[in-house]
Every structure is written in structure tokens, then in C-alpha cells.
Amino acid sequence: GAAATVEEVPIADLVAASRSTLHGGMAPPWLKAGWFHAWRLLGAHVEPSARPEVEALVARLEAGGQGAVERMNLERRLVGHLVAGCRRLVAGFTLRREVVNDDYSAGVENVAADSLLGLNGPIFLRTVKLKDFPWNGWLTVGVPDPPRAAWNPVAGFSDTTGRLLWAALADPALFPAPGGGWVENRVRLATPEVETGSLAVPPEAVAPEPGTGRLVPVGEGRAAGARLTYRVLTSAYHDGTRMTAADALYALAFGLRWGANGPDRDPAVARVTERWRQWLVALRVLRVDTDVLRFGEVTMTYEVPVIEVYLARALPDPYALAAIAPPWTPVPWPLLALLEEAVRRGIGAFSAEEARRRGVPWLDVVRDGRQREQLERLLGELERRAFVPPALAGLVTAEAARARWARLAQFAAERGHLLVTSGPYLLHAWSPRGAVLRVFRDFSYPLGVGSFDRYPLPLRGFVAEVAVRPDRLEVRAEAQRVERFGRERRLVTESVGSPAAQKDRGARAVCHWVAVGPDGHVVAAATTEPTERGVFEVPREGLPRGGTVVLAVVVNDHRVNVQTRSVPVP
């Protein structure tokens, strides 16, 4: 008779292979998209006759360049193929539960969890607060598995323990929001509207040279499909040096050297940088702004490089597009250059698979004493030479390079490791059973306490009433907001148009709508803000007669378990 196997697939494991350590934690812009999860779960089991079309659909989605409507139809076609047949069926799902102590005074509050990763993600460590001793207490976090992966900032930290540590030690440019979308972290889009089309690239803009990473002018006649302008939130590194535009540029050069085909190629780096190597056309440092913040008698000054990035293609979501190739790394360029030279000389390899292939150790800048001694000797050599990587020739002087190398060497001597980042925590001590981190308290750090406080209490929106007018649909909605009473909080559901809801700037409600024709194809889609009366309006022009409009009200971009409502179009 027929036999079946029941298999449980943790969602975190399903997407783990698509995440990386590089530059703070890179991930594909569709990491939380349903079509991507369906492809990862069911792609290897589609019917042979459907495989060519399925692979072609995935390739088109990953290539980008579509508008929102075309992209939705591609996603629907792909998922339709993936769930057809009976080779592998999704029987259901279970909920993962994670435990926190919320007792006073030993417990925590303000806990945000990721919809896929739970507490083992960037948002937890950027929101959780101790109920007592908020500035000088200890947060104890346990994980189910002992550390096994090497600790290096390029292709290490790949196990459960490593992912948690790296989420604390390093800052990504953007990271996936707990409930969908993307969160700007250490870069900001200067304008959320991304310029798209056939865009002329300024000839003085530079691009990394494949195989070497050298930044060379693109010259005349280059065109791009999208342009983004980033404001890069710099700060001090743990070794006391200041982040500069050169650090941000070196991140992109690094990917072109170690990801492109050539003698230095590492397959792990190649996988995670494939998209940006295909999409990146050029970049240009426009200027360095100076932001000044005053708190009473304290004045803090921040240098903010403004960098243009030109891409070959576009995506409908500007923040997902911004995650493709942001000019950012939480690791100073001297540390990256040191590790590159170490790999070139055979001291180790960035990734586990490349280490096995070459027969060398997996590079560990903390726990492998022999490798650490080799790295420190190499560091002394590069300091004496005032070494400047070819990619930064003309951007970093020998004097500046020697100063950066000296500070890295001083950090290694004082701390006993080389793991310098610009993240909110620094590595203080470690053992086979765990690690101790300390908060990196430096006034240059640009993200203060409370920067992500909109995430611990995910808010929901609800479609209350839809009125069909001759020229539009009027959608009246309700949304949750938070009321605070000292240490207590409660969720209140009110009309989006109520005075209290409009006054509450902490909860932003928008209406997403999709129009589906009688044949099942998406014909229109958009997002609309509420009018002054608190009503969302969907224009009837272009809506298919006999079709359906699907509505969803989303608060603060939280898209998990969203309530939808379907309205027939007469």
C-alpha cells in the first residue's frame, strides 16, 4: 500500500541558509515572502513536468524589475504550481513557544519577537529591557545548542548560538521587520520614493572591479534601472576609531573580490553577494553631512555620509530594494583587510565549506589561540607597512591607515580577540559554554533607547465597513493603539478617524488593497493613507466589473495574521 512520511520543518531552519553574517546579517529582500517559503519547502518536490516553469518563475521573481501587479501574478502562479500534485503536501503548522521571565524585579519587559526567528533575531536584543536596574543589570539568555560554528564576521556565527551573538555584536544596515517589511537600522533612505527607469549614471561614479574589488570610475554611457540615496549613520567602532565612507565602500568592494569567479572566490560569500553583484551598477559619495544634537548642555556631533547607489533593476517595495546592496558594514575596513590577507596566506578560510575544500581551519578571530597569534603577527606587519587595500587607493592615506592598524592592534592586546564591530554590544569574555557581552556605551552611537519600541506590542487593524460609491470605495477601519499608565499598558481599538487615534503618532495605519479580476488575475494593487476624516478611499476607475477587491488595514507595517475583507465589484 501507499506510505507517507510526516516531517516537521522549523521555519527558522528553512530560511537559515538564506541568511548570512556578512555586513551585519545579509538576507534576500523576500526573506519573509510566502512564495519564497513555499519554494524553499516544496521546490524540490514539484512534478517533473512543471519544474522548468517553476524554476523560470523563481528566476523572474529573483531578477526583479516587475511592477507590483505583475509580481503578484508571478507569485500566485508559482505557488499554484508548488502546491499542485501530491509528492509533498503541507498538512498544517504548529506554534513555537519561547519562555521569558517577566517577574518584577528579576524579569524583563518590552520584548519583541520575530515572526520567523522568535527571540533569536535582531529585534529582541534591540527592544528588551530589564524591569529593574535598566542600565547596569544582567540579561541572561539561553539557547538550546552549544556553539559549534567559528566566530568570524564574514561567514561564521552560523549556528544557533552564533546567530544570537552576531545579532548583538553587529548592526545590519536594515533587517527584516518582526511582522513583515524592512526596518531601517544603520542606513536611511534619503527619500522613500526610489527613482526608477532608464537613469544615466554619472561618469565619476565608481564600481568595484570583479576579482580585485578596486573602485574604478564607470565612465560615460552607463545606465541604471534604479537609484537610491542612503544616509549612512556612522559611529565609533569598538576600538575607538571612527567609521568613514571608506568603510562603507569597502563592504561592496569586498563582495566583488570574494564573490566573483577567480582565485579568491569563497562559495559562501558568492551565494550571499550574488544578487548585489548582478544588480549593482555604480555608487557615488555625494557629501558628508554633519548632524548636531543638543541635550541640555551636552552637544553631540554625527558625521553622515550621503551615498548614491545605482542598481540595474527595481522592486515595488523601496525598502526591500534598499536591502539589496546598501553601502554599509559594521566591521572596520582594517579588520576585513586583515582577514582577507589571512585567507590569502592560508591561515584559514571564511566559510566552513571552503575550509574543508582547502584543508585549512575555519577562520576564528576569538577562540582559536593559534590563529589569533598568526593574525596578530600579520596585523603588526600590515601596521608597519601602513597597508592600504587596492580598493581604497586614493581614499585612505598611509598615515590614516597606520593609525587605524595601530588602534586595531591595541584593541587585540587589551581584549584578547579581534572582533571589532560598531554594534550595540561588545564581546567581553567567553567560554565553551557561552559568552559575556557588555553594552557599548559611546555617545556616537546613533540609535538611542526606545528606537524600536513600536514592535514589542504588535498592533492590528480591522476593516469595519465598506461603502461602494459611484467613483470609489470608502473603507472605514479600526486600529489598535497603546495606552500607557505608568508601567502598565493596554491595547485600545478605536476608529482610525477618532481624535485619539489621529493624535497618536505612534500608530500608523494604512490600507493595502488588491483588485482581482473574474479570471483570478490581479489587475491593480496599491496602498492608501487615510483622509482627514480617517476614511480610506479606493478609486473605482480600473477596477474589474465582476471581480473582487481584497482589503487589509495594516498598523505599523505588522503583516502577521492580518484580517482581510473581500468586496465584490458590481
Side-chain angles (χ1 to χ4, degrees), residues 272-286:
V272 298
T273 62
E274 178 183 8
R275 198 157 296 105
W276 107 38
R277 288 183 287 109
Q278 293 174 346
W279 290 39
L280 181 64
V281 176
L283 56 152
R284 179 173 64 151
V285 179
L286 294 180

PDB file of all heavy atoms in Angstrom, residues 272-286:
ATOM      1  N   VAL A 272      25.808  34.761  -1.015  1.00  0.00           N
ATOM      2  CA  VAL A 272      25.080  35.863  -0.383  1.00  0.00           C
ATOM      3  C   VAL A 272      25.283  37.184  -1.113  1.00  0.00           C
ATOM      4  O   VAL A 272      24.503  38.117  -0.915  1.00  0.00           O
ATOM      5  CB  VAL A 272      25.467  36.013   1.102  1.00  0.00           C
ATOM      6  CG1 VAL A 272      25.108  34.758   1.860  1.00  0.00           C
ATOM      7  CG2 VAL A 272      26.936  36.338   1.267  1.00  0.00           C
ATOM      8  N   THR A 273      26.323  37.285  -1.944  1.00  0.00           N
ATOM      9  CA  THR A 273      26.542  38.531  -2.689  1.00  0.00           C
ATOM     10  C   THR A 273      26.122  38.421  -4.146  1.00  0.00           C
ATOM     11  O   THR A 273      26.289  39.386  -4.900  1.00  0.00           O
ATOM     12  CB  THR A 273      28.027  38.939  -2.632  1.00  0.00           C
ATOM     13  OG1 THR A 273      28.829  37.911  -3.248  1.00  0.00           O
ATOM     14  CG2 THR A 273      28.485  39.157  -1.206  1.00  0.00           C
ATOM     15  N   GLU A 274      25.555  37.284  -4.537  1.00  0.00           N
ATOM     16  CA  GLU A 274      25.206  37.095  -5.948  1.00  0.00           C
ATOM     17  C   GLU A 274      24.275  38.185  -6.446  1.00  0.00           C
ATOM     18  O   GLU A 274      24.465  38.756  -7.530  1.00  0.00           O
ATOM     19  CB  GLU A 274      24.561  35.725  -6.148  1.00  0.00           C
ATOM     20  CG  GLU A 274      24.119  35.470  -7.584  1.00  0.00           C
ATOM     21  CD  GLU A 274      23.423  34.129  -7.745  1.00  0.00           C
ATOM     22  OE1 GLU A 274      23.156  33.463  -6.717  1.00  0.00           O
ATOM     23  OE2 GLU A 274      23.146  33.758  -8.892  1.00  0.00           O
ATOM     24  N   ARG A 275      23.281  38.506  -5.643  1.00  0.00           N
ATOM     25  CA  ARG A 275      22.289  39.477  -6.112  1.00  0.00           C
ATOM     26  C   ARG A 275      22.901  40.853  -6.252  1.00  0.00           C
ATOM     27  O   ARG A 275      22.665  41.553  -7.228  1.00  0.00           O
ATOM     28  CB  ARG A 275      21.113  39.473  -5.134  1.00  0.00           C
ATOM     29  CG  ARG A 275      19.844  40.074  -5.689  1.00  0.00           C
ATOM     30  CD  ARG A 275      18.665  39.530  -4.936  1.00  0.00           C
ATOM     31  NE  ARG A 275      18.536  38.097  -5.146  1.00  0.00           N
ATOM     32  CZ  ARG A 275      18.857  37.170  -4.240  1.00  0.00           C
ATOM     33  NH1 ARG A 275      19.330  37.522  -3.068  1.00  0.00           N
ATOM     34  NH2 ARG A 275      18.702  35.893  -4.508  1.00  0.00           N
ATOM     35  N   TRP A 276      23.700  41.267  -5.272  1.00  0.00           N
ATOM     36  CA  TRP A 276      24.246  42.611  -5.404  1.00  0.00           C
ATOM     37  C   TRP A 276      25.309  42.666  -6.489  1.00  0.00           C
ATOM     38  O   TRP A 276      25.466  43.696  -7.159  1.00  0.00           O
ATOM     39  CB  TRP A 276      24.690  43.150  -4.052  1.00  0.00           C
ATOM     40  CG  TRP A 276      26.142  43.266  -3.719  1.00  0.00           C
ATOM     41  CD1 TRP A 276      27.163  43.631  -4.531  1.00  0.00           C
ATOM     42  CD2 TRP A 276      26.720  43.061  -2.437  1.00  0.00           C
ATOM     43  NE1 TRP A 276      28.345  43.665  -3.841  1.00  0.00           N
ATOM     44  CE2 TRP A 276      28.105  43.322  -2.548  1.00  0.00           C
ATOM     45  CE3 TRP A 276      26.219  42.710  -1.201  1.00  0.00           C
ATOM     46  CZ2 TRP A 276      28.974  43.232  -1.480  1.00  0.00           C
ATOM     47  CZ3 TRP A 276      27.088  42.622  -0.132  1.00  0.00           C
ATOM     48  CH2 TRP A 276      28.449  42.870  -0.278  1.00  0.00           C
ATOM     49  N   ARG A 277      26.018  41.578  -6.735  1.00  0.00           N
ATOM     50  CA  ARG A 277      26.982  41.591  -7.836  1.00  0.00           C
ATOM     51  C   ARG A 277      26.271  41.708  -9.177  1.00  0.00           C
ATOM     52  O   ARG A 277      26.786  42.304 -10.126  1.00  0.00           O
ATOM     53  CB  ARG A 277      27.847  40.329  -7.796  1.00  0.00           C
ATOM     54  CG  ARG A 277      28.860  40.337  -6.650  1.00  0.00           C
ATOM     55  CD  ARG A 277      29.774  39.122  -6.655  1.00  0.00           C
ATOM     56  NE  ARG A 277      29.099  37.906  -6.247  1.00  0.00           N
ATOM     57  CZ  ARG A 277      28.792  36.899  -7.040  1.00  0.00           C
ATOM     58  NH1 ARG A 277      29.093  36.955  -8.336  1.00  0.00           N
ATOM     59  NH2 ARG A 277      28.183  35.823  -6.581  1.00  0.00           N
ATOM     60  N   GLN A 278      25.062  41.137  -9.281  1.00  0.00           N
ATOM     61  CA  GLN A 278      24.296  41.223 -10.523  1.00  0.00           C
ATOM     62  C   GLN A 278      23.586  42.568 -10.673  1.00  0.00           C
ATOM     63  O   GLN A 278      23.418  43.062 -11.785  1.00  0.00           O
ATOM     64  CB  GLN A 278      23.272  40.089 -10.576  1.00  0.00           C
ATOM     65  CG  GLN A 278      23.881  38.700 -10.685  1.00  0.00           C
ATOM     66  CD  GLN A 278      22.832  37.610 -10.593  1.00  0.00           C
ATOM     67  OE1 GLN A 278      21.685  37.849 -10.190  1.00  0.00           O
ATOM     68  NE2 GLN A 278      23.204  36.393 -10.957  1.00  0.00           N
ATOM     69  N   TRP A 279      23.176  43.156  -9.561  1.00  0.00           N
ATOM     70  CA  TRP A 279      22.350  44.358  -9.610  1.00  0.00           C
ATOM     71  C   TRP A 279      23.152  45.651  -9.515  1.00  0.00           C
ATOM     72  O   TRP A 279      22.744  46.676 -10.048  1.00  0.00           O
ATOM     73  CB  TRP A 279      21.311  44.340  -8.479  1.00  0.00           C
ATOM     74  CG  TRP A 279      20.225  43.330  -8.638  1.00  0.00           C
ATOM     75  CD1 TRP A 279      20.342  42.055  -9.118  1.00  0.00           C
ATOM     76  CD2 TRP A 279      18.848  43.500  -8.301  1.00  0.00           C
ATOM     77  NE1 TRP A 279      19.132  41.416  -9.091  1.00  0.00           N
ATOM     78  CE2 TRP A 279      18.194  42.280  -8.596  1.00  0.00           C
ATOM     79  CE3 TRP A 279      18.103  44.538  -7.769  1.00  0.00           C
ATOM     80  CZ2 TRP A 279      16.837  42.087  -8.377  1.00  0.00           C
ATOM     81  CZ3 TRP A 279      16.740  44.353  -7.531  1.00  0.00           C
ATOM     82  CH2 TRP A 279      16.116  43.142  -7.843  1.00  0.00           C
ATOM     83  N   LEU A 280      24.280  45.625  -8.775  1.00  0.00           N
ATOM     84  CA  LEU A 280      24.999  46.865  -8.526  1.00  0.00           C
ATOM     85  C   LEU A 280      25.632  47.393  -9.810  1.00  0.00           C
ATOM     86  O   LEU A 280      26.396  46.699 -10.477  1.00  0.00           O
ATOM     87  CB  LEU A 280      26.078  46.642  -7.467  1.00  0.00           C
ATOM     88  CG  LEU A 280      26.913  47.873  -7.090  1.00  0.00           C
ATOM     89  CD1 LEU A 280      26.037  48.931  -6.439  1.00  0.00           C
ATOM     90  CD2 LEU A 280      28.062  47.484  -6.174  1.00  0.00           C
ATOM     91  N   VAL A 281      25.326  48.644 -10.150  1.00  0.00           N
ATOM     92  CA  VAL A 281      25.893  49.298 -11.330  1.00  0.00           C
ATOM     93  C   VAL A 281      27.006  50.256 -10.916  1.00  0.00           C
ATOM     94  O   VAL A 281      28.094  50.235 -11.494  1.00  0.00           O
ATOM     95  CB  VAL A 281      24.794  50.042 -12.116  1.00  0.00           C
ATOM     96  CG1 VAL A 281      25.397  50.817 -13.286  1.00  0.00           C
ATOM     97  CG2 VAL A 281      23.739  49.061 -12.611  1.00  0.00           C
ATOM     98  N   ALA A 282      26.744  51.100  -9.922  1.00  0.00           N
ATOM     99  CA  ALA A 282      27.734  52.089  -9.508  1.00  0.00           C
ATOM    100  C   ALA A 282      27.301  52.719  -8.198  1.00  0.00           C
ATOM    101  O   ALA A 282      26.151  52.563  -7.762  1.00  0.00           O
ATOM    102  CB  ALA A 282      27.907  53.170 -10.582  1.00  0.00           C
ATOM    103  N   LEU A 283      28.224  53.443  -7.591  1.00  0.00           N
ATOM    104  CA  LEU A 283      27.905  54.202  -6.385  1.00  0.00           C
ATOM    105  C   LEU A 283      28.738  55.465  -6.366  1.00  0.00           C
ATOM    106  O   LEU A 283      29.793  55.559  -7.006  1.00  0.00           O
ATOM    107  CB  LEU A 283      28.147  53.380  -5.124  1.00  0.00           C
ATOM    108  CG  LEU A 283      29.521  52.790  -4.887  1.00  0.00           C
ATOM    109  CD1 LEU A 283      29.780  52.647  -3.394  1.00  0.00           C
ATOM    110  CD2 LEU A 283      29.601  51.397  -5.515  1.00  0.00           C
ATOM    111  N   ARG A 284      28.242  56.439  -5.607  1.00  0.00           N
ATOM    112  CA  ARG A 284      28.918  57.739  -5.577  1.00  0.00           C
ATOM    113  C   ARG A 284      28.682  58.383  -4.219  1.00  0.00           C
ATOM    114  O   ARG A 284      27.547  58.451  -3.744  1.00  0.00           O
ATOM    115  CB  ARG A 284      28.377  58.639  -6.689  1.00  0.00           C
ATOM    116  CG  ARG A 284      28.995  60.022  -6.726  1.00  0.00           C
ATOM    117  CD  ARG A 284      28.562  60.814  -7.936  1.00  0.00           C
ATOM    118  NE  ARG A 284      27.137  61.106  -7.964  1.00  0.00           N
ATOM    119  CZ  ARG A 284      26.600  62.183  -8.557  1.00  0.00           C
ATOM    120  NH1 ARG A 284      27.386  63.033  -9.192  1.00  0.00           N
ATOM    121  NH2 ARG A 284      25.300  62.373  -8.548  1.00  0.00           N
ATOM    122  N   VAL A 285      29.769  58.832  -3.589  1.00  0.00           N
ATOM    123  CA  VAL A 285      29.653  59.590  -2.340  1.00  0.00           C
ATOM    124  C   VAL A 285      29.324  61.031  -2.705  1.00  0.00           C
ATOM    125  O   VAL A 285      30.129  61.732  -3.330  1.00  0.00           O
ATOM    126  CB  VAL A 285      30.954  59.522  -1.523  1.00  0.00           C
ATOM    127  CG1 VAL A 285      30.805  60.337  -0.232  1.00  0.00           C
ATOM    128  CG2 VAL A 285      31.307  58.074  -1.186  1.00  0.00           C
ATOM    129  N   LEU A 286      28.119  61.468  -2.328  1.00  0.00           N
ATOM    130  CA  LEU A 286      27.699  62.822  -2.665  1.00  0.00           C
ATOM    131  C   LEU A 286      28.338  63.860  -1.745  1.00  0.00           C
ATOM    132  O   LEU A 286      28.839  64.896  -2.186  1.00  0.00           O
ATOM    133  CB  LEU A 286      26.176  62.939  -2.586  1.00  0.00           C
ATOM    134  CG  LEU A 286      25.374  62.140  -3.601  1.00  0.00           C
ATOM    135  CD1 LEU A 286      23.885  62.367  -3.382  1.00  0.00           C
ATOM    136  CD2 LEU A 286      25.748  62.542  -5.020  1.00  0.00           C
TER     137      LEU A 286
END
